[in-house]
Amino acid sequence: MRDEQLGNIAQVAARSAQPYRRHIVGLSLQRSLFGLTAQAATTIGLPGLSSELDFPARLDENGDLFLDRSQVAALTKALLSWFTPETLELMHTRHAAACDALVDATENAARAAASLDGAPRKLSEDLANRMALVLAYGILSKFVPDVLLRALADAGDVEPPPFPETSAGAELMQNTFALYQACCALNYDPRRLQLEWPRVPAEVFQLVSEFCHRQTGFGPLAWDSPGYEDPNYVIRLLHSAFNEVDAEQVRRRLSFARRPSVARSSAGGSTKIAALRRVLGFWLDFLERETWYARRAFYFGMIPLLQQLVAGYRQKIPKFQPADLLFLDIRELVAGIADPAVIDARRHRYMENTEYLSLHGVDSSRLATMLGSS
Amino acid sequence: MSAENSTTVHSGLAAAPGRASGKAYVIRNAEDIMAVPAGCILVIRILHPHLAPLLPRVAGLVVEEGAILQHATTLARECGIPAAVGIRDARSLFRDGELLEVDGYTGKVIERHVDR
């Protein structure tokens, strides 16, 4: 049965009580966004997704992700009979708009926070809703690209899938190598950077800091797991990636990455095939950026808003720490609700989960560092 | 999966063409990405885009995630690194340092057992 072999969910067959992914998210704030995704998904306009109950994924309180295979099968069937050039165009337009809207909301939140202008709770709510919508697309990306690929095969398309010509990951690879070379040119190889950071010459400091700023958003799904927003992470990664590697070998790989990896579909072929390829191409590019969208929104948009809110909480709860905000859920944050006992209990549970902390590389100072309060 | 002589063959999906051999290096947690040996066969649950800078130093890629349309396929093809995806429980099957061969044309991973 083909349904049982669809996409990334194939491995959960016959054991649906098992999580699809374990411990993917630990912070209450991030986990609560998953609670908004089912509602957000109903606005996408896909067949079979008219109610929150139709959404095939849920996150439990342990941060384990569950996928409902019967819902996935139902959505797959509905999609396959729904695809036309017109519906595919609609699907593409809405998906692109959701991504663009999150980027806009991120910039809006960052601007408002920087100018101390605007209502942080309202902006947080708006940002969270847009993140939830992109997250819903992220969940759908576990099987929709494969449905599109199947529809292409059914329509008689014989070309390779339209993988990105230069993916987000390939661009990141090129930019990271460029940083490595620039630092080495200033006599700061990764080992020396590790030893001396942040007490390095201003030019080196600026190189690394600007790189981190530009690449913020790349990193693991879990916000508390360090990523490219963190200079220490980047410096260690530089060492891991380029230590004892021939620069020429790296250049060869990079030049390979600049070449189109597959033949692009020509304008010929049926209109439906062209539409399917266009939409699939967008999903494949989105696959490379789905985590980036939400992570960047968190670090550039949400954190400055959270920082604005701290003073208000401290008026009510003198011992309130900035990182306590990470243990509120988004509804509590928007409503201004904070119960110190609840926060303590959530934080305690989080810190007790050593398996999660180890898996995601979260050390004892990480939360304070994230909120800029270390 | 079949075993003959001193090899075991694990079948997955062919994600990026080419053949490579080398010692396995298994990523089990965030810290493991900071010590990837040059020339290894990287064994990982899923290859997220933020790990792309590590690819130039690896010879081949073995991924647990089971679909052909995924990050690892895109990145491995772009970099010309042989890759097999959908190798179930690969992180449990393989140990750091054991010799693996990745056939990116067929999706097979050959585990070479060292006779003692």
Side-chain angles (χ1 to χ4, degrees):
Chain A
M1 228 169 87
R2 292 173 82 182
D3 282 352
E4 290 178 356
Q5 295 166 3
L6 257 189
N8 294 337
I9 59 166
Q11 293 179 11
V12 294
R15 43 178 179 150
S16 56
Q18 296 294 318
Y20 172 65
R21 294 274 179 271
R22 288 191 70 231
H23 296 328
I24 64 167
V25 168
L27 294 173
S28 307
L29 184 61
Q30 186 175 15
R31 209 166 54 228
S32 68
L33 289 186
F34 279 80
L36 305 179
T37 54
Q39 171 62 32
T42 62
T43 68
I44 291 175
L46 294 182
L49 259 184
S50 54
S51 150
E52 287 185 43
L53 298 174
D54 298 329
F55 196 63
R58 69 179 175 86
L59 197 73
D60 75 359
E61 59 182 14
N62 295 317
D64 294 344
L65 179 67
F66 290 82
L67 281 183
D68 183 331
R69 282 184 53 80
S70 63
Q71 293 283 22
V72 170
L75 286 169
T76 297
K77 190 176 175 186
L79 280 170
L80 283 169
S81 59
W82 179 74
F83 289 146
T84 65
E86 291 74 28
T87 58
L88 287 162
E89 178 60 26
L90 181 69
M91 185 180 180
H92 174 74
T93 303
R94 287 186 170 176
H95 190 175
C99 296
D100 292 345
L102 178 53
V103 171
D104 289 346
T106 301
E107 289 173 4
N108 190 30
R111 265 197 309 272
S115 65
L116 297 176
D117 180 23
R121 292 190 199 287
K122 179 79 187 91
L123 287 165
S124 300
E125 183 178 28
D126 180 54
L127 191 58
N129 284 328
R130 293 182 191 283
M131 289 161 94
L133 181 55
V134 170
L135 192 56
Y137 276 107
I139 297 289
L140 295 174
S141 73
K142 300 294 178 198
F143 65 97
V144 171
D146 296 276
V147 179
L148 290 162
L149 189 64
R150 181 198 291 188
L152 270 168
D154 291 346
D157 185 54
V158 292
E159 293 202 48
F163 289 109
E165 289 187 0
T166 303
S167 72
E171 282 178 25
L172 180 66
M173 197 190 307
Q174 289 161 0
N175 291 330
T176 307
F177 185 57
L179 173 68
Y180 166 78
Q181 287 184 302
C183 289
C184 287
L186 295 168
N187 289 322
Y188 272 83
D189 64 18
R191 190 177 300 276
R192 186 175 180 195
L193 271 175
Q194 266 184 281
L195 286 172
E196 296 185 22
W197 184 267
R199 290 174 295 281
V200 295
E203 192 177 0
V204 176
F205 188 87
Q206 190 176 350
L207 263 178
V208 176
S209 301
E210 286 182 356
F211 174 87
C212 291
H213 185 78
R214 280 196 308 276
Q215 306 303 338
T216 291
F218 284 110
L221 173 70
W223 296 336
D224 38 347
S225 188
Y228 285 71
E229 73 286 342
D230 179 348
N232 290 303
Y233 173 91
V234 166
I235 291 166
R236 295 186 69 208
L237 187 78
L238 286 177
H239 184 262
S240 179
F242 304 118
N243 179 45
E244 295 175 3
V245 165
D246 175 25
E248 192 49 44
Q249 180 189 335
V250 177
R251 284 191 202 96
R252 270 202 307 278
R253 297 286 201 205
L254 294 177
S255 66
F256 205 111
R258 278 193 285 272
R259 288 200 298 272
S261 55
V262 295
R264 304 298 289 179
S265 180
S266 66
S270 80
T271 309
K272 184 174 178 183
I273 287 178
L276 282 165
R277 289 191 69 84
R278 179 165 181 246
V279 175
L280 179 56
F282 187 83
W283 276 91
L284 292 178
D285 186 64
F286 174 72
L287 272 177
E288 300 301 297
R289 300 178 196 274
E290 55 182 326
T291 302
W292 178 89
Y293 280 115
R295 192 176 171 101
R296 190 169 177 86
F298 174 73
Y299 279 97
F300 273 1
M302 189 65 83
I303 282 193
L305 295 174
L306 296 180
Q307 288 166 334
Q308 277 202 12
L309 290 169
V310 171
Y313 281 100
R314 278 196 172 144
Q315 285 179 351
K316 294 185 226 168
I317 309 170
K319 287 184 178 174
F320 195 86
Q321 296 298 311
D324 288 345
L325 291 166
L326 301 171
F327 295 98
L328 296 177
D329 76 30
I330 188 66
R331 288 188 176 93
E332 292 167 337
L333 187 78
V334 169
I337 299 167
D339 180 337
V342 171
I343 292 171
D344 280 350
R346 290 175 184 166
R347 183 195 280 269
H348 182 72
R349 186 172 178 188
Y350 172 86
M351 297 308 295
E352 288 284 292
N353 191 347
T354 51
E355 185 184 350
Y356 173 88
L357 298 177
S358 167
L359 183 67
H360 294 280
V362 182
D363 66 26
S364 57
S365 64
R366 175 66 187 158
L367 300 186
T369 304
M370 286 168 69
L371 268 291
S373 55
S374 60
Chain B
M1 193 169 82
S2 64
E4 57 180 76
N5 297 326
S6 56
T7 66
T8 307
V9 179
H10 304 269
S11 293
L13 299 170
R19 293 188 184 87
S21 61
K23 290 181 178 175
Y25 182 72
V26 183
I27 301 288
R28 293 195 169 84
N29 59 46
E31 191 58 26
D32 290 337
I33 69 167
M34 297 304 181
V36 177
C40 71
I41 303 293
L42 194 67
V43 180
I44 194 165
R45 182 181 67 75
I46 181 170
L47 186 80
H48 285 293
H50 69 276
L51 301 178
L54 298 171
L55 285 189
R57 72 187 291 112
V58 310
L61 196 56
V62 176
V63 178
E64 287 186 359
E65 184 94 357
I68 200 69
L69 299 181
Q70 60 163 289
H71 314 290
T73 306
T74 297
L75 287 167
R77 285 180 182 228
E78 283 180 295
C79 291
I81 294 170
V85 303
I87 303 292
R88 240 183 243 199
D89 300 322
R91 290 171 301 161
S92 305
L93 290 171
F94 306 131
R95 291 183 304 277
D96 285 344
E98 74 173 304
L99 193 59
L100 298 181
E101 291 178 23
V102 179
D103 188 331
Y105 297 107
T106 63
K108 292 191 188 312
V109 177
I110 301 162
E111 191 179 4
R112 295 226 173 267
H113 305 290
V114 178
D115 295 330
R116 294 174 192 276

